[in-house]
């Protein structure tokens, strides 16, 4: 039985402003320890759940509530066959809905774009186990025909691949858009389609043996007619609905309800066309245009109810059907089937391991992929449960396969988690920082775009840096889009010479804007635009992978909050903030967070980068306290200020006394070296200010910030010295550090942009 998957997320956070009456507020860190403890317990619980998958817990609960455990009529828990039947009906409704949504989220066009490795793995991990399983069963059970006694049909279920199960596993382990996850999804999609075809083919052959060749041909013709109706009638109708929906708008309610009505009728229609009733909703789901607006609307509105209510009920009822007494009446045919299933599982694992190794994949990654490809879950459990209800398989075969599914579903996530850690490749021993890049060397830079407003602010800042042929920029633009109504993450390269692989113009405006920027700076800037469509909690994988592949020295991220010109909050996205934290923690190079000013850079009286008039200057300030992040910020500022129309001021805040200074001797020596270069240069302005504590620092910065259009500071995470004493407890945004948080607060009338810099973190295994 072939199938799909599930994924959804929510965003949003109410913005908070600083109050001038600061004494009336509790400092954030007064309540954070208790809150942090609660969040830590929640994360720990979620990680434990991830190891075996939440639906397995419901299945186990069903087994514990089954008559096998509570068989006494005087028991406090009395589960009758009638109650199981009622719950089973409700659960089966949820399972059919799940198959429909799985089809909605699958994009069959990706099967044509899968690489050779994914195609080989997807095909061989179904065909080779199937042949091995059939050979084993034939040797053990020579009686009867393989099709008439259902051996071939069952062998396909043992050897098949389930896309929804593998997608859920990868999503739970948070490796969905990792290199291994993408390969596993592509192979699973190929394998699932082949499994679906072989299952239907086995039913047609069985019909031919039992009822004659004519009946089999009639079944084949009706099935083809059903597919033609779905592809050439229903799908064009749904595409017409999508075309009538305004861009970035929501699908009309009437269209939504019509699709649901068609889905509800699909099991009946499949029965009329002599197709197994579970295939109708799935095939109809495949015909629904994936992604926004129709596919995403169906997933966002239905998936929470199906995954949160109906599917757990279905998993529980599957467990309620299990009984150990079934083993007592097991016959020889059932033992042969179980042995064939075990052979198929072992051979499938071996093929999944051998093919990647032959393709030069690391052994640990190959092992992880092999375990991923043999994973079992709700689809297999549901299929065997429904076949048991319809007397397609006997109760003893159902009991044996239930044990196999539970064991595999319990062990596989743990082993994959042990074997594969995508963050290992970010342990970069090569220094990828701006400090280690020569001024006349090309700077490799990644900028991330979430919303259209990010484009103008980033281009304005890049224009202000005045790139030249002698100090060029290799700019990689990554447009990040939430994965909605789709199962498979996408990573698209927008090649200037040819059309993109995707038919959807996800980033057309972004591409146009940055190509114009490249033309305006021809020879000084080279631009490549990428689009990543992935779950928000896994977007850091796309950014870090791109940084590794492109040998990037600096990643520029937009801040999660944007302001109107009057200082009120325009927008705030907690998802972006979480992503920024993830990048700061994992990035294989230096990182910057750009906090936009409350006025447009172009409209602030700044010089035109192409103008020869030097009467207007672009003033940059670096707030320097010391440490590696501040040195990286200074290196970036020096690179930007190579143009004569850019004026750089380095403001060195020194402690009035040396008590409490936490910098190491090595840091002090390196700070002294970079500051001496600034002092000796006639191109820069150096200001040294002595302060006693945080309030003095705040007062001083308030007096000078209006003189600059861009202020660059180091993040200096978890670093507090005398210059910032007393400010840490009021820090609202830890990702931009104490000084960055202070300069972005409402206490500062901020008509400047702010860039917070963190130097590449050297991590060990």
């Amino acid at each position: 039985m072939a199938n799909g998957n599930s994924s959804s997320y929510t965003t949003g956070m109410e913005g908070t402003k600083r109050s001038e009456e600061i004494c009336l507020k509790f400092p954030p860190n007064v309540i954070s320890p208790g809150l942090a403890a609660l969040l830590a317990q929640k994360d720990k619980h979620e990680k434990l759940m991830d190891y075996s998958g939440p639906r397995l817990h419901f299945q186990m609960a069903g087994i514990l509530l089954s008559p096998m455990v509570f068989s006494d009529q005087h028991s406090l828990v009395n589960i009758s066959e009638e109650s199981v039947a009622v719950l089973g009906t409700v659960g089966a409704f949820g399972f059919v809905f799940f198959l429909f949504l799985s089809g909605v989220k699958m994009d069959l066009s990706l099967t044509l774009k899968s690489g050779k490795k994914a195609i080989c793995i997807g095909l061989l991990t179904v065909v080779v186990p199937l042949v091995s399983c059939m050979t084993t069963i034939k040797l053990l059970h020579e009686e009867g025909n393989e099709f008439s006694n259902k051996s071939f049909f069952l062998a396909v279920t043992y050897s098949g691949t389930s896309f929804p199960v593998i997608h859920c596993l990868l999503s739970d382990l948070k490796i969905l858009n990792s290199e291994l996850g993408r390969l596993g999804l592509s192979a699973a999609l190929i394998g699932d389609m082949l499994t679906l075809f072989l299952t239907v083919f086995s039913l047609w052959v069985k019909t031919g043996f039992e009822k004659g060749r004519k009946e089999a041909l009639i079944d084949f013709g009706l099935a083809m007619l059903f597919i033609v109706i779905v592809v050439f009638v229903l799908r064009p109708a749904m595409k017409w609905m999508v075309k009538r929906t305004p861009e970035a708008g929501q699908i009309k309610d009437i269209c939504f309800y019509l699709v649901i009505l068609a889905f509800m009728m699909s099991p009946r229609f499949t029965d009329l066309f002599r197709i197994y009733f579970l295939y109708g909703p799935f095939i109809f789901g495949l015909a629904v245009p994936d992604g926004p607006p129709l596919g995403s609307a169906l997933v966002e509105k239905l998936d929470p109810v199906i995954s949160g209510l109906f599917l757990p009920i279905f998993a529980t009822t599957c467990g309620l059907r299990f009984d150990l007494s079934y083993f007592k009446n097991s016959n020889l045919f059932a033992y042969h089937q179980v042995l064939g299933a075990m052979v198929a599982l072992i051979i499938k694992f071996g093929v999944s391991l051998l093919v990647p190794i032959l393709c030069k994949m690391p052994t640990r990654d190959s092992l992880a992929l092999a375990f991923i490809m043999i994973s079992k879950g709700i689809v297999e459990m549901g299929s065997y449960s429904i076949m048991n209800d319809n007397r397609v398989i006997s109760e003893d075969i159902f009991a044996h396969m239930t044990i196999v599914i539970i064991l595999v579903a319990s062990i596989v996530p743990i082993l994959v988690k042990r074997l594969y850690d995508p963050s290992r490749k970010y342990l970069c021993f090569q220094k990828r920082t701006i400090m280690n890049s020569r001024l006349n060397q090309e700077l490799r830079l990644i900028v991330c775009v979430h919303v259209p407003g990010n484009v103008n602010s980033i281009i304005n800042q890049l224009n202000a840096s005045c790139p030249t042929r002698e100090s060029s920029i290799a700019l990689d633009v990554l447009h990040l889009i939430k994965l909605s109504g789709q199962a498979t993450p996408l990573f698209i390269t927008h090649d200037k010479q040819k059309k993109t692989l995707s038919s959807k113009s996800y980033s057309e405006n972004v591409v146009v804007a940055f190509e114009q920027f490249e033309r305006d700076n021809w020879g000084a800037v080279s631009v490549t635009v990428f689009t990543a469509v992935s779950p928000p909690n896994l977007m850091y994988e796309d950014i870090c992978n791109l940084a590794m592949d492109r040998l990037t020295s600096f990643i520029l991220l937009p801040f999660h909050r944007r302001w109107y010109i009057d200082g009120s909050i325009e927008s705030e996205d907690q998802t972006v903030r979480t992503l920024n934290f993830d990048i700061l923690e994992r990035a294989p190079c230096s990182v910057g967070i750009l906090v936009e000013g409350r006025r447009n850079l172009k409209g602030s009286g700044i010089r035109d980068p192409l103008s020869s008039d030097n009467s207007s200057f672009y003033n940059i300030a670096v707030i320097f306290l010391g440490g590696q992040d501040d040195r990286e910020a200074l290196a970036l500022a020096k690179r930007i200020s190579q143009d004569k129309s850019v004026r750089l001021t380095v403001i060195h805040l020194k402690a009035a006394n040396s008590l409490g200074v936490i910098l190491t001797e090595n840091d002090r020596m390196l700070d002294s070296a970079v500051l001496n270069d600034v002092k000796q240069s006639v191109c820069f302005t150096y200001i040294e200010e002595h302060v006693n504590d945080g309030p003095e620092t705040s007062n001083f910065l308030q007096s000078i910030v209006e003189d600059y259009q861009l202020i660059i500071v180091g993040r200096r995470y978890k670093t507090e010295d005398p210059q910032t004493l007393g400010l840490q407890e009021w820090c609202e945004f830890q990702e931009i550090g104490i000084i960055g948080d202070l300069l972005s607060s409402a206490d500062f009338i901020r008509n400047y942009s702010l860039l917070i810099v963190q130097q590449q973190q050297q991590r060990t295994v």
Side-chain angles (χ1 to χ4, degrees):
M1 174 64 201
N3 330 286
N5 69 20
S6 77
S7 67
S8 64
Y9 83 110
T10 57
T11 62
M13 182 183 75
E14 292 296 327
T16 58
K17 290 187 177 181
R18 293 175 184 263
S19 171
E20 293 181 1
E21 301 176 4
I22 203 164
C23 59
L24 298 179
K25 292 177 62 181
F26 287 106
N29 67 345
V30 170
I31 60 172
S32 61
L35 181 59
L38 289 173
L39 292 175
Q41 290 294 325
K42 178 177 178 290
D43 290 343
K44 182 179 179 181
H45 173 69
E46 288 178 347
K47 287 179 181 178
L48 289 174
M49 289 282 287
D50 283 347
Y51 271 83
S52 55
R55 297 186 186 99
L56 179 61
H57 292 74
F58 294 113
Q59 192 173 321
M60 294 297 294
I63 293 175
L64 293 176
L65 291 172
S66 66
M68 176 186 69
V69 178
F70 295 101
S71 56
D72 188 355
Q73 61 179 348
H74 302 294
S75 172
L76 293 176
V77 180
N78 189 6
I79 305 295
S80 64
E81 290 185 6
E82 291 78 9
S83 60
V84 172
V86 172
L87 287 174
T89 302
V90 176
F93 175 77
F95 185 61
V96 172
F97 245 118
F98 172 73
L99 295 179
F100 168 67
L101 292 179
S102 297
V104 170
K105 289 182 277 190
M106 291 175 68
D107 184 1
L108 288 183
S109 65
L110 295 178
T111 58
L112 304 175
K113 304 166 188 174
S114 301
K116 293 180 181 179
K117 188 192 301 183
I119 294 174
C120 288
I121 295 172
L123 295 178
L124 293 178
T125 51
V126 175
V127 174
V128 178
L130 176 61
V131 173
S132 303
C133 179
M134 286 301 300
T135 303
T136 303
I137 294 175
K138 184 63 177 176
L139 291 174
L140 295 173
H141 193 87
E142 298 180 356
E143 299 176 7
N145 183 278
E146 289 78 9
F147 293 95
S148 60
N149 65 11
K150 306 168 189 172
S151 292
F152 184 79
F153 173 77
L154 292 175
V156 172
T157 66
Y158 306 148
S159 310
T161 302
S162 173
F163 181 88
V165 171
I166 290 178
H167 178 275
C168 290
L169 171 66
L170 296 174
S171 182
D172 288 342
L173 295 177
K174 298 182 179 179
I175 57 174
L176 189 64
N177 60 343
S178 64
E179 186 178 356
L180 185 71
R182 292 180 187 274
L183 176 60
L185 277 181
S186 298
L189 186 60
I190 300 291
D192 204 340
M193 292 300 99
L194 179 59
T195 302
L196 175 61
F197 170 76
L198 290 174
T199 305
V200 176
F201 174 77
S202 67
L203 293 176
W204 289 336
V205 176
K206 179 176 179 293
T207 302
F209 276 103
E210 293 181 351
K211 300 180 181 180
R213 190 176 301 175
K214 183 178 178 180
E215 287 295 318
L217 290 175
I218 292 174
D219 285 357
F220 173 78
L222 289 174
M224 291 300 102
L225 179 60
F226 176 77
I227 293 174
V228 167
I229 292 173
V230 169
V231 173
F232 295 103
V233 178
L234 297 180
R235 183 171 174 81
M238 289 183 284
K239 281 190 172 183
W240 178 81
M241 296 176 187
V242 170
K243 286 182 180 179
R244 290 180 60 86
T245 304
E247 188 174 354
Q250 293 185 346
I251 196 79
K252 291 182 180 179
D253 288 343
I254 183 65
C255 298
F256 180 84
Y257 296 135
L258 284 174
V259 174
I260 296 298
L261 178 62
F263 153 72
M264 299 292 285
M265 296 171 63
S266 61
R268 177 58 181 165
F269 276 112
T270 52
D271 187 45
L272 293 175
F273 286 92
R274 298 187 186 182
I275 302 174
Y276 188 44
F277 79 97
L278 291 179
Y279 294 163
F282 178 69
I283 294 173
F284 179 65
L286 289 174
V288 176
D290 61 303
L294 182 56
S296 58
L298 289 168
V299 173
E300 289 172 3
K301 292 181 180 181
L302 299 177
D303 195 57
V305 178
I306 302 305
S307 298
L309 176 62
F310 289 106
L311 212 54
I313 292 175
F314 179 71
T316 304
T317 57
C318 289
L320 287 170
R321 292 176 171 87
F322 178 78
D323 196 333
L324 286 175
S325 63
Y326 295 158
F327 293 111
K328 298 178 182 178
N329 304 321
S330 185
N331 56 33
L332 192 60
F333 177 77
Y335 283 125
H336 293 165
Q337 290 295 323
V338 173
L339 189 57
M342 296 306 299
V343 169
L345 191 67
I346 295 170
I347 296 298
K348 190 181 184 75
F349 178 84
V351 173
S352 304
L353 175 63
L354 185 60
V355 174
I357 289 178
L358 293 176
C359 295
K360 310 299 183 183
M361 185 182 288
T363 304
R364 287 178 65 92
D365 292 359
S366 300
L367 279 169
L369 180 62
F371 282 113
I372 289 170
M373 295 306 295
I374 67 167
S375 57
K376 306 287 183 184
I378 187 66
V379 173
E380 289 82 7
M381 193 68 231
S383 300
Y384 290 125
S385 180
I386 291 173
M387 285 192 286
N388 180 45
D389 291 344
N390 294 328
R391 299 295 185 265
V392 176
I393 60 174
S394 58
E395 292 176 336
D396 49 351
I397 293 178
F398 170 71
H400 282 104
M401 294 313 300
T402 299
I403 295 296
V404 171
I405 291 170
I406 290 175
L407 288 176
V408 173
S410 301
I411 295 171
V412 163
I414 299 173
L415 294 177
V416 175
K417 191 83 172 179
R418 289 273 187 177
L419 290 167
Y420 185 69
D421 180 10
S423 64
R424 285 180 303 171
K425 59 180 176 286
Y426 306 145
L427 299 175
C428 183
F429 299 101
Q430 181 182 0
K431 289 188 177 181
R432 295 181 181 174
T433 65
I434 296 176
M435 283 191 68
N436 292 95
S437 301
R438 294 190 299 272
L439 288 177
N440 59 351
Q441 182 183 3
E442 182 182 60
L443 177 64
R444 306 198 68 85
L445 177 69
I446 290 177
V447 297
C448 298
V449 174
H450 296 279
V451 294
N454 298 148
V455 175
N456 288 334
S457 61
I458 290 172
I459 289 180
N460 286 334
Q461 293 298 342
L462 293 172
N463 270 326
S465 67
C466 300
T468 62
R469 293 178 183 271
E470 293 74 25
S471 180
S472 60
I473 296 176
L475 181 64
D476 294 326
V477 181
L478 182 58
H479 187 199
L480 297 163
I481 299 175
K482 166 192 169 185
L483 182 70
S484 179
Q486 295 170 274
T488 308
L490 300 175
F491 193 87
I492 304 167
T493 303
H494 298 277
D495 196 317
K496 303 184 186 75
Q497 305 301 324
K498 55 186 178 181
K499 293 183 179 180
T500 179
L501 291 177
S502 175
S503 59
K504 301 182 180 70
S505 55
Y506 288 104
S507 310
E508 183 178 351
N509 294 334
V510 176
V511 173
V512 170
F514 279 97
E515 284 183 351
Q516 181 61 47
F517 170 68
E518 182 181 24
R519 286 191 291 270
D520 293 341
N521 297 273
W522 188 255
V525 177
S526 61
V527 175
T528 307
V529 183
F530 303 89
T531 298
V533 185
S534 58
N537 63 327
L538 300 177
M539 284 179 177
Y540 67 86
E541 283 276 354
D542 295 310
I543 300 172
C544 292
N545 285 334
L546 183 62
M548 291 290 293
D549 294 340
R550 306 285 287 183
L551 303 178
T552 302
S553 298
F554 193 74
I555 299 173
L556 183 60
L557 306 169
F559 193 53
H560 72 279
R561 180 181 286 184
R562 303 175 72 235
W563 289 266
Y564 287 114
I565 196 168
D566 62 357
S568 60
I569 296 175
E570 176 186 355
S571 63
E572 187 169 25
D573 192 340
Q574 179 65 14
T575 305
V576 176
R577 186 183 184 191
T578 303
L579 174 63
N580 290 348
F581 267 116
D582 290 335
I583 296 299
L584 289 167
E585 182 181 345
R586 296 175 172 87
C589 61
S590 297
V591 182
I593 298 179
L594 178 63
V595 183
E596 297 179 38
R598 294 175 191 164
R599 60 178 177 180
N600 190 292
L601 188 63
K602 290 286 188 183
S604 58
I606 303 169
R607 95 285 175 250
D608 183 347
L610 302 176
S611 174
S612 58
D613 181 12
N614 291 328
S615 61
S616 181
F617 292 95
Y618 183 55
N619 296 310
I620 300 176
V622 175
I623 311 299
F624 193 95
L625 280 75
Q628 65 176 14
D629 290 348
D630 282 4
R631 293 194 295 272
E632 186 76 358
L634 180 56
L636 176 61
K638 289 169 69 175
R639 188 176 183 103
I640 293 174
S641 61
Q642 291 184 84
D643 190 88
K644 293 181 180 179
S645 60
V646 177
R647 286 182 172 177
L648 172 61
T649 302
V650 179
I651 302 170
H652 185 195
L653 298 179
K654 297 187 70 175
N657 57 71
S658 59
L659 296 177
V661 176
I662 62 172
L663 290 176
T664 64
E665 184 64 30
N666 184 54
D667 273 330
R668 283 196 290 270
M669 291 175 59
L670 294 173
D671 291 345
S672 178
V674 297
L675 290 175
N676 283 337
D677 290 341
V678 173
K679 294 175 186 177
Q680 294 170 8
S681 174
V682 295
C683 302
F684 311 133
T685 302
Y686 176 78
I687 299 174
E688 189 173 292
E689 181 71 18
H690 292 264
V691 293
N692 289 302
D693 53 21
E696 282 193 18
T697 298
S698 177
N699 292 333
F700 171 72
L701 293 178
Q702 278 185 320
S703 67
I704 58 98
V705 292
E706 282 300 298
D707 297 332
Y708 305 99
Q709 284 84 45
L710 174 65
I711 298 178
I712 306 177
V713 300
R715 185 190 181 204
R716 308 180 80 246
Y717 183 54
K718 292 184 178 179
T719 302
E720 185 175 22
D721 24 25
Q723 301 97 306
T724 58
L725 186 64
L727 297 178
Q728 172 67 45
E729 61 182 6
W730 305 109
C731 185
E732 184 178 2
F733 303 117
Q734 297 288 339
E735 67 270 29
I736 58 176
I738 298 174
I739 297 297
D741 182 80
L742 177 68
L743 292 171
S744 67
S745 68
D747 299 331
F748 284 67
I749 302 174
R750 190 168 54 78
N751 293 324
Y752 50 85
S753 293
L754 181 63
L755 181 59
I756 296 86
V757 177
Q758 174 184 279
Q759 193 179 66
Q760 176 192 10
Q761 304 293 298
Q762 296 297 324
R763 289 176 291 273
T764 57
V765 180

